[in-house]
């Protein structure tokens, strides 16, 4: 929560400092989310997917103290192109313990139209600059060439620089706070507490799910068109519930549309988790355990 307040107060754009279209979290070194703050619910479900995609592409042994990793690719666990995610590792005795993470909707990302939402887009390349997991800061030193590339591809470079810097300030604070917690309590206690927290969250979520009658629950609706072709697109889900497990099956939905209405994996997962969070006790900690 402190990370998010820092982000809000240091950002340049109203999409952050008024709309609060961002999320902040702490993850362990395996990419599991330990904790998050309640800023933008649509992002928290995709957070573990984002972290796991980074550690898959950037080997753990090449991540160093002071690094900051940036990534916005919807095909690598991201939500949509405007949402940029920053990851900063924290270490204890030179051993990686986890990541501070901030994700925020950058208002302008280049592409066909200002603001990142092109109703005529028919491919991802129309929607602005895609960034695979890269180190924008390496061992505490800013990569000026990456900054120049990012700011040359947008219409509002000053605001983008301010908002991206605000996202970095959030992970800086997260790392500082986590290092102080490890220093105060010791690595073994903190790691065990984080694992216990996720186990506790899972037990509580399973207990809530068990209260729902077993069965298959179906629903479908239609998007009138995709902005490109004059035809309906079906959104369908079958929710299979047995015991303390739930599977959400979207396979009866329409196939990929030409226009910009397709949902990425991160969006679909996040929306599914949020539906469950609305149905269950809001005091259950939101982390990879309950997910």
């Amino acid at each position: 929560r402190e990370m998010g307040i820092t982000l809000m107060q240091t950002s340049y754009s109203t999409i952050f400092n008024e709309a609060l279209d961002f999320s902040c979290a702490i993850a362990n070194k395996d990419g599991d989310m330990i904790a998050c703050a309640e800023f933008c619910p649509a992002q928290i479900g995709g957070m573990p997917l984002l972290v796991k995609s980074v550690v898959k592409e950037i080997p753990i042994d090449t991540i160093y103290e002071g690094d900051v990793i940036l990534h916005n690719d919807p095909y690598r666990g991201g939500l949509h192109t405007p949402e940029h995610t920053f990851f900063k590792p924290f270490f204890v005795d030179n051993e990686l313990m986890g990541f501070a993470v901030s994700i925020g909707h950058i208002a302008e990302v280049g592409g066909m139209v200002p603001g990142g939402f092109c109703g005529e887009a028919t491919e991802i390349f129309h929607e602005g600059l895609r960034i695979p997991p890269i180190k924008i800061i390496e061992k505490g030193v800013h990569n000026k060439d990456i900054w120049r590339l990012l700011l040359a591809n947008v219409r509002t470079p000053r605001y983008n620089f301010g908002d991206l810097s605000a996202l970095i300030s959030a992970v800086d604070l997260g790392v500082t706070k986590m290092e102080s917690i490890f220093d105060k309590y010791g690595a073994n206690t903190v790691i065990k507490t984080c694992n216990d927290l996720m186990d506790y969250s899972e037990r509580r979520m399973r207990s809530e799910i068990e209260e729902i009658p077993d069965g298959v629950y179906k629903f479908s609706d239609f998007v009138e068109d995709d902005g490109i072709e004059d035809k309906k697109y079906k959104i369908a889900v079958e929710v299979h519930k047995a015991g303390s497990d739930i599977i959400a099956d979207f396979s009866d939905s329409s196939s990929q549309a030409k226009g910009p209405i397709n949902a990425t994996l991160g969006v679909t997962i996040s929306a599914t988790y949020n539906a469950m969070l609305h149905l269950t006790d809001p005091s259950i900690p939101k982390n990879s355990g309950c997910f």
Side-chain angles (χ1 to χ4, degrees):
R1 200 169 293 152
E2 289 179 66
M3 291 165 63
I5 292 169
T6 297
L7 200 168
M8 177 185 70
Q9 294 183 338
T10 59
S11 59
Y12 282 31
S13 298
T14 53
I15 198 166
F16 285 168
N17 53 44
E18 291 185 16
L20 307 184
D21 195 350
F22 60 80
S23 292
C24 298
I26 300 296
N28 64 20
K29 64 181 179 181
D30 297 319
D32 291 317
M33 187 171 72
I34 299 164
C36 64
E38 59 293 282
F39 290 102
C40 181
Q43 296 162 347
I44 63 170
M47 190 77 77
L49 195 63
L50 284 160
V51 185
K52 288 178 184 292
S53 69
V54 165
V55 297
K56 184 182 291 185
E57 292 198 38
I58 300 181
I60 291 292
D61 59 3
T62 64
I63 296 174
Y64 306 105
E65 196 164 351
D67 287 354
V68 176
I69 299 165
L70 166 63
H71 149 29
N72 83 330
D73 190 351
Y75 293 105
R76 287 176 164 93
L79 305 177
H80 63 155
T81 311
E83 281 172 348
H84 290 54
T85 308
F86 287 85
F87 313 82
K88 186 171 185 179
F90 49 90
F91 294 79
V92 173
D93 296 330
N94 297 317
E95 182 181 352
L96 177 66
M97 291 289 134
F99 298 88
V101 188
S102 62
I103 177 172
H105 183 130
I106 300 296
E108 162 55 30
V109 291
M112 289 177 71
V113 298
F117 286 99
C118 177
E120 298 177 350
T122 57
E123 56 184 7
I124 189 67
F125 305 104
H126 292 155
E127 297 187 348
L129 189 66
R130 277 167 66 204
I131 307 161
I134 54 172
K135 292 184 182 182
I136 192 169
I137 300 175
E138 189 160 7
K139 295 181 179 179
V141 179
H142 286 256
N143 189 323
K144 293 182 180 179
D145 288 335
I146 289 177
W147 276 108
R148 289 171 61 221
L149 180 66
L150 292 176
L151 300 179
N153 280 278
V154 296
R155 298 169 178 85
T156 55
R158 179 177 179 274
Y159 278 89
N160 283 56
F161 178 76
D163 289 341
L164 294 171
S165 298
L167 285 157
I168 292 172
S169 75
V171 294
D172 285 346
L173 178 66
V175 165
T176 299
K177 292 288 186 177
M178 287 305 296
E179 287 176 343
S180 69
I181 290 172
F182 273 91
D183 184 58
K184 182 175 181 179
Y185 296 104
N188 291 337
T189 299
V190 176
I191 292 170
K192 183 179 186 305
T193 302
C194 291
N195 291 334
D196 287 348
L197 177 64
M198 287 190 284
D199 289 343
Y200 165 77
S201 185
E202 179 179 350
R203 287 195 304 271
R204 288 194 58 190
M205 179 57 76
R206 288 190 178 278
S207 176
E208 293 272 311
I209 292 172
E210 284 177 346
E211 297 297 314
I212 301 171
D214 286 355
V216 179
Y217 300 82
K218 299 180 181 181
F219 183 78
S220 62
D221 205 342
F222 290 87
V223 179
E224 288 84 352
D225 64 74
D226 67 348
I228 304 297
E229 295 186 311
D230 186 16
K231 64 178 185 179
K232 292 182 177 181
Y233 290 86
K234 184 180 182 182
I235 303 171
V237 64
E238 282 190 1
V239 179
H240 297 252
K241 190 272 173 180
S244 66
D245 290 323
I246 278 184
I247 295 173
D249 180 0
F250 292 89
S251 60
D252 195 35
S253 300
S254 294
S255 57
Q256 182 170 321
K258 281 187 179 180
I261 64 168
N262 301 298
T264 61
L265 180 61
V267 167
T268 308
I269 288 175
S270 207
T272 304
Y273 287 159
N274 271 293
M276 292 307 304
L277 295 178
H278 281 293
L279 293 171
T280 52
D281 190 332
S283 69
I284 297 174
K286 280 73 174 171
N287 56 37
S288 288
C290 83
F291 291 162

